[in-house]
Amino acid sequence: MKHVTRLAASAALAAGLALSAQAAAEVKIGVIASTTGPGASLGIPYRNVYTNLPPQIAGQPAKFVILDDGSDPSTTVKNARKLVDEEKVDILLGPTFTPGCLAVSDVAVEAKIAMICLAPVVVPPAKMPWVYSIPQSVPVMIAGVVEHMKANGGKTIGYIGFADGWGDLVLKALEATAGPAGIKIVASERYNRPDTSVNAQVLKLIAAKPDAILVGGSGTPATTPHIALKERGFAGTIYHTHGVIGADFIRIGGKSVEGTIAPTGPLMVAEQLPDSNPIKKVALDFFAKLSPAYPQVRNAFSGYSYDAFLLVQGAVTAVGTKAKPGTPAYRQALRDALEATKEVVGTHAVYNMSASDHNGVDQRARVLVRVEGGQWKLLK
Amino acid sequence: MNFDIALLLIQDGLTNGAIYALLALAILLVFAVSRVLYVPQGEFVAFGALTLATLQQAKVPGTAYLVAGIGAVAMVVELVAALRERRRQGLASSALLYVVIPTALLGLAVWLAPQKPPLLVQVLLTLALVVPLGPMTYRLAVQPIANASVLVLLFVAVAVHYALMGLGLVFFGAEGWRTPSFVSAQVALGPMTASAQSLLVIAASAILIVALWQFFGRTLWGKALRATAMNRTGARLVGIPTEASGRLAFTLAALFGAFSGVLIAPFTTIYYDSGFLVALKGFVGAVIGGMTSYPLAALGAVLVGLLESFASFYASAFKEVIVFSLLIPVLLWRSLMSRHVEEEHDE
C-alpha cells in the first residue's frame, strides 16, 4: 500500500514537472504600442496585428503581452520594465514612436533583452547588440525620390517639412542624397502640423522657382502645404515621404494631390508587384490571414508589426530547444538568432541582419507610387 | 519680398488674426467673469470643426452623444445637490437644460444628418450641438468650486482640457478632417485678389465681435456679466446670480469656440487635439490686452496673426518661437507701466 502511494506521488510529481515544462515552453512576446495620445492613429494599426494573430509562433505556444504607453516616453519606459521584470517576456516589440524607442533602448541594453523597434530610429553602435529597428531608414526612402527626380531631368528642389524631428530627418536625408545627384536645394521651409495656414511659406517656395518640391510631412497634415501649393499654381512635381501613404491622405487632399509621387514599402501596392518579387506572396498571405478579423489590415504600420513577428518566428525556429523560454539564456539565444537573420522575406523588405546592421533592409524595401485617379499606383 | 507678397501675407495674417480674436475675447470673457483661465477653449474649436466635417459626410457626429452623455451626468450632479439641500426649485429648468434639450438635439442630429441638409443648417446644428457643452462644463467642473483660488481654477481648467481632448479622441477618432470651402470665389480688392473664404472669416468674426459689444452695452444680461466681472461680491449684493453669469460666460465662450472651428475647418485639417495651439495664440492676444480690455485683446490677437504670417515667411522654422516670445516684451512693458496692486485676499 505504502509502495502504491509512493508510486502515485512520484507519478503526480512527474506529471507536474511535465506540465510546468510545457508552461515554460510558452514564448512570451512583450508589445508596447501607443494606442492613445498623439501617436494613436499609428499605434492602433501596429497593435491590431498582435491582437489578431493566433497565440503560437514557429509551432510553439506564444503569448503577446500588450501594453499602451499613451505616446509618452516615460510611460514607455515603465511599460518596458514591467514587461521585463514582472511578465518575464523573451523579447520586446515596439514601441511605435521614435522618442519611445530611444528611451526604451537603454532598458533593453540593461536588461539584456532584444527589442525590435517598430518606428524608424538610427541605432547607435553602443546599443547595437540588443536594439533592432526594422522600418526603412529615411535616406533609403528619400534616395528613391532623388533618383526619380534625376532620371526626369530635375535640377532644383524646394523643401517644406514639419518643424519637428521628422522634418529634420527628411531634410538631412535630402541634403545627403541630393548633392551627389547634382540637385540643388533652393528653398527650405518649415510648418507645424496644426497650422491653419502655410501660405507664407508656400509663397517663398514658389518665389525660389524649384523644378520640384519635397514635402517632409506625414499623414493628413502633409496635405496642407500641398493644397496651398496647388492653389498658388505650382506646376512642378510634388514629392512626399513614405509618411503619407494611406487612403486618408487622398481623402483630405482630393483632386489636388493627384500626381503626387512618394516612396513606400512594397506592401502598399502588393497586388501590383510582379510575381517575381518574393514580397508579393508574403504580403498577400498576410492580408488573407488577418483581413477576416481586421479588415483595415492594409497599412504600412501593420506590415511592420507582422515583419517583426516573422523575424521573431525565424529566430524562435533557429533557437529551437537550445534554451528554455523565460530564461536569460533564451533571451541571449533569440538576440543571436535575430542578428543571424538571412533573406527573411517580409511584407516591407527582404531582411538581412548583421553585427553592424540592425535595420536589415536594402533598396528592395522601397518602391515609388503615384496618386492616379484617387488610388496609389505602382510607378514602373 | 515685393508688394504682392506683402499683401498676401497681410491677408493671411488678418484671416488667422480674426479667428484668434474670437478666441481671445472668449478667454477674456470667461476669465473676467469666473476667474478661470479657460484652457479647454481650443477643444470647442476642434469639436466645432469635427462636428461640421462629420455632418458633411451625412453621419451622426460624436458630439450628439457626448452632449446627451455629459448632460445626463450634469443632471445627476444637480439632483444630488438638490437632495442634499432639500430643495425642489430649479430642478425643472435643470432637467430642461441637461436632459430635454440634449436628448432633443440627439434626436435632431440622428434625423437630420443622413439627409445632408444645406450648409447653413449644418452650421446651425453644429453650433447647437457644441454650445451646450459650455454650460455643462461650468456646472460640472467650475460651479462646485467657484470660490476657489485662481490657481485651483487653472488646475481644474487643465484637467477639463485633457478630459475633453480624450473624449474628442473617443468620439471623433485619431484621424483629421477638412471641410470644403463655403465659397470658392476669388474677389478683386484694388491691387490684390482675396479669397472669398478669407473675407467671409474676417466679416463673420467682425460681426460676432460687434454683437458681443452690443450685448455688453445694451442688454441686461450683458450688463450683469460686466458687473460680475468688475466685482463679484458687489454684483451678488445687487441681486445678480453669479452662477447664472458664469454659465452664460461659458455658453458664450463655447459659441465663440465652435464658431471659430466652423470658420477654420476649410483652411486646414483639424484633429481632435488641434484646438489647443490655436486657442493658445488667442490667449497671447488676450495677454497683450492685459486680460482686461476687450478691444486691446482683439487687436493683440490680430497682431499675433500678422506676426505669425510674416514670421512664417522669413523664418518658418522659428515661427512659434517668435509668436510666443512676443509675450515676454509685452509682459515686461505691462508690468513697468501698471502700478502694483495688492492681491485680493478676501476671496
Side-chain angles (χ1 to χ4, degrees):
Chain A
M1 193 63 206
K2 204 175 172 189
H3 193 71
V4 175
T5 322
R6 200 178 284 169
L7 198 72
S10 57
L13 193 69
L17 273 178
L19 260 179
S20 66
Q22 202 182 4
E26 180 184 73
V27 182
K28 264 193 166 180
I29 299 171
V31 178
I32 306 173
S34 308
T35 51
T36 56
S41 67
L42 314 184
I44 293 168
Y46 272 119
R47 176 202 58 193
N48 284 354
V49 170
Y50 301 117
T51 48
N52 289 306
L53 279 174
Q56 55 176 348
I57 190 161
Q60 272 174 264
K63 187 179 174 196
F64 295 101
V65 186
I66 304 171
L67 297 181
D68 168 33
D69 62 17
S71 314
D72 171 20
S74 64
T75 315
T76 316
V77 170
K78 263 182 244 157
N79 282 349
R81 293 208 184 277
K82 192 170 170 195
L83 287 171
V84 172
D85 297 337
E86 292 174 22
E87 297 285 345
K88 309 261 183 253
V89 297
D90 296 302
I91 188 161
L92 283 175
L93 304 184
T96 57
F97 67 125
T98 303
C101 285
L102 294 173
V104 171
S105 59
D106 290 324
V107 180
V109 172
E110 184 195 309
K112 297 198 186 311
I113 181 167
M115 68 173 273
I116 302 180
C117 179
L118 298 174
V121 51
V122 179
V123 184
K127 293 176 180 172
M128 197 66 103
W130 299 99
V131 183
Y132 295 79
S133 167
I134 54 168
Q136 300 88 338
S137 71
V138 178
V140 166
M141 289 301 204
I142 299 304
V145 168
V146 171
E147 271 170 31
H148 181 266
M149 206 183 148
K150 196 181 173 192
N152 288 283
K155 290 271 176 290
T156 52
I157 191 163
Y159 175 76
I160 177 163
F162 285 162
D164 67 5
W166 177 244
D168 276 344
L169 263 168
V170 176
L171 180 61
K172 270 193 202 129
L174 181 66
E175 280 166 348
T177 48
I183 292 169
K184 207 169 151 239
I185 304 171
V186 290
S188 168
E189 295 296 319
R190 294 306 182 81
Y191 74 107
N192 293 299
R193 288 164 208 247
D195 276 355
T196 45
S197 164
V198 290
N199 286 335
Q201 292 96 318
V202 160
L203 286 172
K204 206 168 173 194
L205 275 178
I206 291 180
K209 296 194 172 55
D211 294 333
I213 285 174
L214 171 67
V215 181
S218 70
T220 42
T223 57
T224 313
H226 195 125
I227 293 171
L229 278 166
K230 288 285 178 190
E231 275 172 2
R232 298 271 165 227
F234 181 72
T237 310
I238 302 177
Y239 294 98
H240 279 263
T241 65
H242 45 301
V244 303
I245 309 296
D248 285 319
F249 176 77
I250 299 175
R251 168 174 68 80
I252 298 286
K255 282 261 178 308
S256 57
V257 298
E258 199 68 7
T260 298
I261 296 178
T264 184
L267 146 118
M268 299 308 296
V269 284
E271 282 87 357
Q272 301 170 40
L273 294 172
D275 286 338
S276 58
N277 192 332
I279 293 172
K280 179 174 186 174
K281 188 175 168 300
V282 177
L284 293 181
D285 279 355
F286 169 55
F287 296 156
K289 203 150 97 182
L290 266 86
S291 57
Y294 174 38
Q296 304 85 11
V297 62
R298 183 185 298 263
N299 65 76
F301 313 111
S302 293
Y304 293 128
S305 288
Y306 188 64
D307 284 6
F309 172 78
L310 290 178
L311 287 170
V312 176
Q313 179 171 282
V316 168
T317 312
V319 173
T321 53
K322 271 183 261 172
K324 261 206 196 101
T327 62
Y330 192 77
R331 291 180 181 179
Q332 176 75 39
L334 268 189
R335 187 217 80 87
D336 294 345
L338 270 180
E339 195 164 79
T341 296
K342 281 282 162 297
E343 292 288 308
V344 168
V345 183
T347 59
H348 274 281
V350 181
Y351 297 92
N352 284 294
M353 299 288 180
S354 73
S356 59
D357 180 9
H358 276 200
N359 179 222
V361 310
D362 50 29
Q363 78 284 350
R364 284 177 291 180
R366 172 194 79 216
V367 293
L368 287 182
V369 290
R370 181 161 59 193
V371 180
E372 284 169 23
Q375 297 282 326
W376 292 103
K377 288 275 156 52
L378 182 66
L379 198 65
K380 294 202 171 92
Chain B
M1 156 166 249
N2 57 30
F3 189 59
D4 283 346
I5 289 182
L7 279 180
L8 283 169
L9 290 180
I10 290 172
Q11 181 200 333
D12 215 52
L14 286 179
T15 312
N16 281 332
I19 288 167
Y20 298 154
L22 284 183
L23 297 172
L25 293 184
I27 290 170
L28 190 51
L29 171 68
V30 168
F31 183 72
V33 172
S34 68
R35 299 173 304 127
V36 178
L37 263 181
Y38 205 34
V39 188
Q41 181 63 27
E43 268 57 59
F44 290 91
V45 178
F47 283 6
L50 291 169
T51 304
L52 183 64
T54 321
L55 280 175
Q56 294 203 327
Q57 297 158 65
K59 286 186 198 146
V60 182
T63 24
Y65 301 103
L66 191 63
V67 165
I70 295 188
V73 175
M75 190 65 219
V76 170
V77 171
E78 187 72 15
L79 274 176
V80 170
L83 208 64
R84 200 174 282 164
E85 294 161 23
R86 299 182 186 286
R87 70 174 156 87
R88 216 173 281 168
Q89 69 182 80
L91 274 186
S93 66
S94 298
L96 181 72
L97 187 63
Y98 300 134
V99 178
V100 178
I101 293 180
T103 315
L105 282 172
L106 175 60
L108 191 66
V110 171
W111 175 66
L112 261 182
Q115 307 184 14
K116 279 219 125 200
L119 185 67
L120 188 67
V121 178
Q122 288 180 0
V123 170
L124 288 177
L125 184 59
T126 300
L127 295 180
L129 283 173
V130 179
V131 171
L133 288 174
M136 287 174 188
T137 310
Y138 179 77
R139 177 64 192 89
L140 284 176
V142 182
Q143 193 178 318
I145 51 157
N147 291 320
S149 71
V150 174
L151 204 58
V152 171
L153 290 171
L154 173 64
F155 290 157
V156 169
V158 172
V160 171
H161 156 68
Y162 279 113
L164 284 179
M165 200 164 77
L167 288 169
L169 176 61
V170 172
F171 283 94
F172 294 106
E175 268 308 328
W177 299 92
R178 187 179 178 129
T179 62
S181 294
F182 301 145
V183 276
S184 56
Q186 296 283 325
V187 183
L189 277 183
M192 63 186 284
T193 56
S195 76
Q197 179 74 24
S198 301
L199 295 178
L200 183 76
V201 168
I202 296 172
S205 302
I207 289 170
L208 211 55
I209 290 170
V210 170
L212 184 71
W213 176 48
Q214 290 292 319
F215 170 74
F216 278 147
R218 293 181 185 244
T219 65
L220 188 62
W221 270 110
K223 287 173 183 165
L225 274 187
R226 273 166 62 205
T228 318
M230 259 174 230
N231 190 330
R232 289 164 57 79
T233 321
R236 207 178 311 162
L237 283 176
V238 295
I240 297 169
T242 43
E243 283 178 359
S245 303
R247 201 157 50 218
L248 183 61
F250 274 68
T251 310
L252 284 175
L255 174 69
F256 275 45
F259 196 69
S260 323
V262 167
L263 288 179
I264 58 168
F267 285 106
T268 185
T269 317
I270 298 286
Y271 294 78
Y272 71 96
D273 59 351
S274 295
F276 181 64
L277 200 61
V278 182
L280 209 55
K281 286 175 189 151
F283 173 70
V284 175
V287 170
I288 294 176
M291 292 305 277
T292 49
S293 157
Y294 291 93
L296 274 182
L299 269 180
V302 172
L303 180 71
V304 168
L306 285 171
L307 183 74
E308 189 186 14
S309 176
F310 280 87
S312 308
F313 186 81
Y314 283 112
S316 55
F318 299 105
K319 186 191 76 176
E320 308 292 18
V321 179
I322 295 171
V323 169
F324 291 114
S325 306
L326 183 65
L327 273 179
I328 299 172
V330 166
L331 288 176
L332 266 179
W333 176 70
R334 290 209 75 97
S335 67
L336 287 176
M337 295 301 287
S338 70
R339 105 200 124 73
H340 185 68
V341 187
E342 278 294 317
E343 284 272 315
E344 281 181 65
H345 291 298
D346 56 347
E347 279 175 352

